[in-house]
Amino acid sequence: NKNIIMAAEQCVRLSDKKVIIIPTRTVPQGISAMLSFDETASADENQMNMISAFENVETAQVTFAARDSEVDGKPIKKGEIMGLCNGKIKFIGESVTDIAIKSTQKLFKKGEHSLITIIFGEGASEEDATIVEEALSKKFGNDVEISIVNGNQPIYYFIISVE
């Protein structure tokens, strides 16, 4: 999140070592950046490669409203399921799997993306993840490779990476 990025950037001045901040905003972006790290490359090369890697990652998150609120003029009731696409609330409903499917479909662009990773957390089951996977496979067919991971994360039923 952007507040953590700002805090990390402040720490750069406190260190005698060379510190480079990779400004990811989501867990999938961070994972993608880490996977592109090459211990044989220079710090500057790694920085460029890691930034390039995470910039190609779209993230859907499915969670619940912690309280009654309003976003863009739309009321949200405590407990409703919310689908966030790259940090912005795009869907509100009652079904965790339906919201996950809609959010992922909103982000996935044929020709630009070919990989979806479904990370399910507390409040969602592997069966829920399989429902999401099957719906996305039906929609995108051979244009996508889909993986399911048990992330055990709190707060988010699903964190879904689209690359």
Side-chain angles (χ1 to χ4, degrees), residues 22 24 28-37 49-51 53-54:
I22 308 298
T24 61
Q29 286 182 337
I31 291 169
S32 184
M34 286 189 304
L35 289 173
S36 72
F37 178 80
N49 292 339
M50 293 171 83
I51 289 171
F54 90 74

Side-chain angles (χ1 to χ4, degrees), residues 2-95:
K2 61 185 172 185
N3 293 330
I4 293 171
I5 294 169
M6 290 187 333
E9 288 170 342
Q10 296 298 317
C11 293
V12 171
R13 289 185 260 144
L14 301 175
S15 178
D16 295 333
K17 298 178 181 180
K18 181 175 183 173
V19 176
I20 298 172
I21 305 302
I22 308 298
T24 61
R25 294 182 184 266
T26 67
V27 169
Q29 286 182 337
I31 291 169
S32 184
M34 286 189 304
L35 289 173
S36 72
F37 178 80
D38 178 356
E39 66 183 38
T40 65
S42 71
D44 291 336
E45 287 174 308
N46 270 313
Q47 180 183 18
M48 287 188 316
N49 292 339
M50 293 171 83
I51 289 171
S52 178
F54 90 74
E55 285 180 335
N56 294 317
V57 177
E58 308 276 348
T59 304
Q61 298 167 303
V62 180
T63 189
F64 58 91
R67 65 186 186 297
D68 289 348
S69 62
E70 187 176 301
V71 174
D72 296 331
K74 296 180 207 170
I76 301 172
K77 292 187 172 45
K78 180 179 179 176
E80 282 188 304
I81 306 303
M82 301 183 300
L84 291 81
C85 295
N86 294 319
K88 296 187 176 164
I89 299 171
K90 296 292 182 181
F91 300 99
I92 301 166
E94 295 180 13
S95 169

